[in-house]
Amino acid sequence: MSKVLLINGSPRPRGNTFTALSEVANSLQQEGVETQIINIGPKAVQGCIACAMCGRIGRCTFHDDLYQQVFQTIRDGIDGLIIGSPVYYGGPNGSLCALLDRVFYSLGRELRFKPAASVVVCRRGGASAAFDRLNKYFGILNMPIVSSQYWNMVYGQTPGQAALDEEGMQTMRTLGRNMAWMIRKLNIASDGHPDLEQPLRTNFIR
């Protein structure tokens, strides 16, 4: 059975971001896809310090429980990834980005070519900028970005309000169906993926 990991980047484990991701998860499950939601929670999250240790040991040098849970889930095998975040000052939650910097840098081989999508939840504005910021993680790892009938945005402030955003909830359901469809069509496990050239790393300073 295919599996999709959903990361709830809100410190509130049952807030509006969770409501939006749960709608996606329900849609995926109806398509026969297993889902798992990991909440980042309210604790401080260690950011990347650019030590490059993950390139030598295959994992982040920091051993916090949150990273370990995400790391092990991805290592055990997923077929798709969805990242959700509330909007803070026009961007994703900083704690979520601190985690994602470490996850994407240390698990690039496991994530590349896996379908991915981001979901953002806001009171009023900033959703587009936060949405674009999260999608940049996928674009650097050859990950196909799954779209929906509208950008993956849901509106709500107090817990439960997201469920009242009818268009937002419909967008989440469509996202789940589209993710399941793309996983089936790509079938990475049996068909493999395109050959990659050796990366060329150039700087603007000569």
Side-chain angles (χ1 to χ4, degrees):
M1 177 183 289
S2 299
K3 179 177 180 178
V4 170
L5 170 63
L6 302 95
I7 298 177
N8 176 14
S10 170
R12 298 184 175 91
R14 293 295 183 271
N16 286 316
T17 303
F18 179 80
T19 298
L21 291 177
S22 295
E23 194 76 0
V24 183
N26 290 337
S27 186
L28 283 164
Q29 291 163 12
Q30 290 172 10
E31 295 289 327
V33 178
E34 180 185 352
T35 63
Q36 179 180 351
I37 298 179
I38 293 179
N39 299 300
I40 69 166
K43 294 182 179 179
V45 179
Q46 172 67 49
C48 177
I49 61 170
C51 66
M53 278 297 291
C54 59
R56 296 194 285 272
I57 65 176
R59 52 158 299 126
C60 183
T61 189
F62 297 107
H63 296 272
D64 53 284
D65 291 341
L66 175 60
Y67 172 86
Q68 180 59 33
Q69 184 182 14
V70 174
F71 174 87
Q72 197 59 55
T73 301
I74 294 173
R75 272 288 178 89
D76 287 345
I78 62 170
D79 301 283
L81 176 67
I82 297 175
I83 298 170
S85 178
V87 174
Y88 293 169
Y89 291 94
N93 180 1
S95 294
L96 172 64
C97 291
L99 171 68
L100 295 180
D101 288 348
R102 295 162 61 202
V103 167
F104 276 75
Y105 203 73
S106 60
L107 286 162
R109 290 183 179 274
E110 286 80 4
L111 290 172
R112 63 188 184 187
F113 297 107
K114 302 290 177 66
S118 59
V119 169
V120 293
V121 179
C122 70
R123 180 190 69 84
R124 186 173 178 86
S128 295
F131 183 63
D132 291 342
R133 171 72 175 85
L134 289 175
N135 284 337
K136 286 180 170 61
Y137 284 104
F138 314 137
I140 205 168
L141 284 183
N142 299 283
M143 301 176 75
I145 296 177
V146 183
S147 61
S148 186
Q149 66 192 48
Y150 193 78
W151 297 302
N152 304 328
M153 304 168 184
V154 178
Y155 290 86
Q157 181 177 16
T158 58
Q161 282 188 340
L164 303 178
D165 179 3
E166 295 182 0
E167 183 176 356
M169 291 293 99
Q170 186 179 61
T171 300
M172 296 300 100
R173 293 192 296 272
T174 302
L175 174 61
R177 289 192 291 270
N178 288 352
M179 171 71 82
W181 174 83
M182 187 175 286
I183 289 172
R184 289 194 298 267
K185 293 299 181 181
L186 288 175
N187 199 9
I188 296 172
S190 62
D191 294 341
H193 53 70
D195 294 330
L196 295 176
E197 295 184 18
Q198 186 67 25
L200 298 174
R201 304 296 186 189
T202 60
N203 299 321
F204 290 109
I205 300 174
R206 296 289 186 260

